[in-house]
Amino acid sequence: MMAVSRETQEPLEDPLAYLPCSTIVEYEKGQLIYGRSQLSGSIYLVIDGKVKVCRTADDGRQVVVDIYQPDEFFGESGFLGEQYRVEEATALDSTKVMTWSTAEIEDLVVRRPRLGVALVQLLVRRSMDFGARIESFSIDGIGRRLVRSLIRFSERLGRESVDGYTDMMPFTHELLSQYVGTSREIVTHYMNKLRREGYLRYSRKGIALNREALREWLRRDSSVGEQD
């Protein structure tokens, strides 16, 4: 895995270059990897499959923090030293993850300082992404938030197809609503609208979207697409 800065196009440090192989654990689709009642003290790397990390809001609704794919880390809240997790992680597919205890990571950072730099870069990039998402929550309507989310998922999880569309896994409308911060019914409304207008196709097998057309959609006046 080689992460690249989107602004400078300079390669970032790769944590995997400094981490030894560790224990690999397999999970079935839908299986909980860790929950809020579990002790916090490990970080994880997706080896195969995909992982959804969620938090529970005060009103009991689930909020999707992010979805992680192979070569991506999750569970960084373990570094906070809290007794229990503040989120939960679930396998979206049949998934394999590699784990290290935070104590192991801390010991490695002492011996391999570049690992510390790599982890800081990863967390700063992740913080910047979350900042952009918070900004979108502040200024965008639901339709634009959904489009931004679809574009982001396509950049991270998609595969380019020959017809100019980007193919992705079959996100449920429930999962998208938990990520965007709205109801499943409203997501369904906008997904149907975007499909009718030719911006995307979707079925139980996956989602295909015209990313450049959606970027142009975002460049228009903010009111476009927010009306029924």
Side-chain angles (χ1 to χ4, degrees), residues 1-225:
M1 177 183 70
M2 176 62 73
V4 177
S5 166
R6 283 172 289 187
E7 284 77 14
T8 65
Q9 299 301 306
E10 295 177 358
L12 302 179
E13 290 281 357
D14 182 2
L16 295 181
Y18 308 101
L19 282 170
C21 291
S22 186
T23 303
I24 295 178
V25 183
E26 299 186 25
Y27 296 90
E28 298 179 357
K29 180 178 179 179
Q31 187 174 356
L32 191 69
I33 297 173
Y34 62 75
R36 293 188 298 157
S37 62
Q38 288 184 249
L39 294 175
S40 176
S42 298
I43 68 166
Y44 302 78
L45 175 74
V46 183
I47 301 297
D48 189 30
K50 292 182 178 63
V51 173
K52 176 181 73 172
V53 174
C54 293
R55 298 186 68 154
T56 302
D58 290 340
D59 61 4
R61 290 184 298 174
Q62 275 203 331
V63 177
V64 174
V65 175
D66 216 336
I67 295 171
Y68 299 100
Q69 63 178 334
D71 288 343
E72 291 187 337
F73 290 89
F74 65 99
E76 63 271 20
S77 63
F79 286 118
L80 294 176
E82 300 288 345
Q83 185 175 8
Y84 296 105
R85 294 282 181 180
V86 296
E87 78 274 340
E88 64 181 37
T90 306
L92 283 177
D93 305 312
S94 295
T95 298
K96 297 178 182 178
V97 301
M98 187 176 288
T99 68
W100 296 265
S101 71
T102 53
E104 288 178 296
I105 297 294
E106 290 168 1
D107 180 64
L108 285 166
V109 167
V110 172
R111 293 185 285 113
R112 303 175 183 178
R114 298 308 299 178
L115 171 60
V117 173
L119 292 172
V120 168
Q121 289 179 337
L122 183 154
L123 295 175
V124 169
R125 170 57 62 194
R126 195 162 287 182
S127 176
M128 292 174 66
D129 287 342
F130 286 142
R133 187 173 166 195
I134 291 170
E135 180 182 356
S136 179
F137 269 86
S138 301
I139 65 176
D140 288 332
I142 293 170
R144 290 173 66 82
R145 293 209 306 268
L146 176 61
V147 168
R148 291 189 193 278
S149 299
L150 290 169
I151 291 173
R152 180 176 184 270
F153 283 140
S154 74
E155 290 172 341
R156 294 181 57 243
L157 309 173
R159 182 182 67 256
E160 303 301 320
S161 62
V162 294
D163 62 358
Y165 280 68
T166 302
D167 295 325
M168 296 189 295
M169 60 183 286
F171 293 101
T172 67
H173 292 185
E174 181 68 23
L175 186 150
L176 288 172
S177 72
Q178 292 170 350
Y179 187 83
V180 172
T182 187
S183 68
R184 179 184 58 79
E185 291 79 10
I186 292 176
V187 165
T188 297
H189 165 77
Y190 280 109
M191 290 292 284
N192 287 338
K193 180 179 175 62
L194 292 168
R195 179 165 61 178
R196 288 196 306 269
E197 295 175 356
Y199 292 106
L200 55 79
R201 305 185 295 260
Y202 66 85
S203 67
R204 293 180 181 274
K205 296 182 179 180
I207 298 175
L209 60 88
N210 188 329
R211 190 160 58 205
E212 290 308 312
L214 285 174
R215 285 180 176 142
E216 179 60 31
W217 188 95
L218 286 174
R219 283 190 284 268
R220 296 187 222 151
D221 184 82
S222 61
S223 64
V224 175

